[in-house]
Amino acid sequence: MGKVYIVGIGPGSPKYLTDKAKEAIKGADVVVAWDESSSYELKTIERLTEGKKLYLQNGENFVKVYEEVAQEYRGKDTNIALIITGDPCISSGIKHLTRIFKEFDIEVISGISSVQIAAALARISLEESAVISFHYHGEVELEEKMKELLELFKRGRHIIALTGEVTPNEIAEYLMSKGVDGKTQVLVCENLTLSDEKIFRGTLNQIRDKKFSPLSVSVIINPKKQ
Ligand SMILES: C[S@@+](CC[C@H](N)C(=O)[O-])C[C@H]1O[C@@H](n2cnc3c(N)ncnc32)[C@H](O)[C@@H]1O
């Protein structure tokens, strides 16, 4: 019987693509990956997809594509690699994926997350941090997410925010409006590990009016943990 591999490919640079991920992609008959200008998936794995049946996704059709692939290969002896940026267990809808492919034998292959790269740049411990994703998968309201972020910061956690549908500026604005000190240290990590990587180090106050790439991770340093 074929198998479904949910493969984390790291944050973009092929230097962060693990041997385990390469093996799974090389051994697959079918590869499912995002193909959008803002997405680096195909570039990261470009030499590994030759001769494979490729299913391409975008923001509009990604669920449909997964469902189509599940329908097409159910009960067949086909190995399928579902390509996921960073690590599959961070803000990548793993719950939905495992539901769609519930009739398959599934293996999740961990990848190096943008969250880990950002934590390394900020030199903070993940166990003293909270990861907040602003990719909702239609489940949680923005206001609720913001409240959760504030709560966790007040309780002494560093915040690592995947700033998908919300900008770093909006997060800064919200925190300051709730009384968080504008001098709080922040990193905004854009296009990590890619050729146009940029790291901004400053304060909440300073990022208020700056423009950042949609592909960014913000780290808000908690002074209680310094
Ligand atoms: C749908 S989530 C997937 C996260 C991914 N599973 C991970 O572990 O990095 C996409 C978000 O991750 C962050 N991200 C992923 N790759 C990135 C990179 N190379 N540079 C900066 N942020 C990145 C951005 O916040 C982006 O909006």
Side-chain angles (χ1 to χ4, degrees):
M1 262 294 278
K3 205 165 158 178
V4 168
Y5 296 88
I6 303 180
V7 188
I9 60 159
S13 163
K15 287 184 183 167
Y16 288 92
L17 184 62
T18 65
D19 285 349
K20 184 93 177 140
K22 283 185 203 162
E23 233 170 66
I25 299 166
K26 279 186 191 156
D29 309 291
V30 170
V31 173
V32 183
W34 281 64
D35 182 24
E36 280 195 325
S37 56
S38 59
S39 160
Y40 50 79
E41 292 190 2
L42 283 180
K43 185 115 192 58
T44 304
I45 61 166
E46 70 184 341
R47 285 188 227 292
L48 304 170
T49 54
E50 253 165 54
K52 320 270 175 211
K53 174 123 176 82
L54 253 185
Y55 286 82
L56 298 177
Q57 302 168 288
N58 58 46
E60 256 113 66
N61 72 2
F62 69 101
V63 176
K64 243 180 105 204
V65 171
Y66 284 138
E67 287 170 348
E68 198 183 307
V69 170
Q71 172 88 15
E72 174 80 27
Y73 297 102
R74 187 169 296 134
K76 295 195 179 146
D77 191 20
T78 308
N79 286 327
I80 302 168
L82 309 179
I83 305 302
I84 304 288
T85 59
D87 181 77
C89 296
I90 298 184
S91 186
S92 294
I94 186 114
K95 189 170 68 184
H96 302 292
L97 266 181
T98 48
R99 205 173 287 151
I100 294 171
F101 289 91
K102 65 178 183 296
E103 289 154 72
F104 292 73
D105 182 12
I106 295 176
E107 182 175 340
V108 179
I109 298 184
S110 301
I112 296 163
S113 175
S114 58
V115 166
Q116 289 167 276
I117 305 284
L121 285 162
R123 298 177 188 173
I124 57 171
S125 294
L126 284 175
E127 74 275 13
E128 294 182 343
S129 311
V131 176
I132 306 270
S133 170
F134 286 95
H135 291 266
Y136 306 129
H137 304 293
E139 283 176 353
V140 188
E141 293 303 324
L142 169 62
E143 182 62 22
E144 236 176 278
K145 277 270 160 181
M146 286 293 204
K147 274 191 196 153
E148 189 188 357
L149 188 153
L150 178 66
E151 231 359 66
L152 288 159
F153 186 76
K154 281 187 175 164
R155 278 173 22 205
R157 297 294 187 105
H158 303 297
I159 301 295
I160 303 178
L162 301 178
T163 43
E165 288 155 57
V166 161
T167 63
N169 323 56
E170 287 168 302
I171 295 174
E173 201 65 60
Y174 176 82
L175 287 176
M176 286 188 286
S177 76
K178 298 294 177 193
V180 174
D181 188 350
K183 292 194 208 82
T184 302
Q185 295 297 307
V186 183
L187 271 81
V188 182
C189 311
E190 299 173 85
N191 309 318
L192 284 165
T193 79
L194 301 168
S195 56
D196 51 353
E197 176 182 281
K198 259 201 264 168
I199 313 297
F200 173 84
R201 292 171 196 265
T203 62
L204 280 181
N205 235 333
Q206 290 169 331
I207 63 170
R208 239 183 182 154
D209 305 315
K210 278 181 83 68
K211 209 167 159 29
F212 296 103
S213 155
L215 191 66
S216 67
V217 177
S218 301
V219 183
I220 303 157
I221 306 289
N222 202 309
K224 290 183 189 157
K225 288 282 188 293
Q226 289 297 83

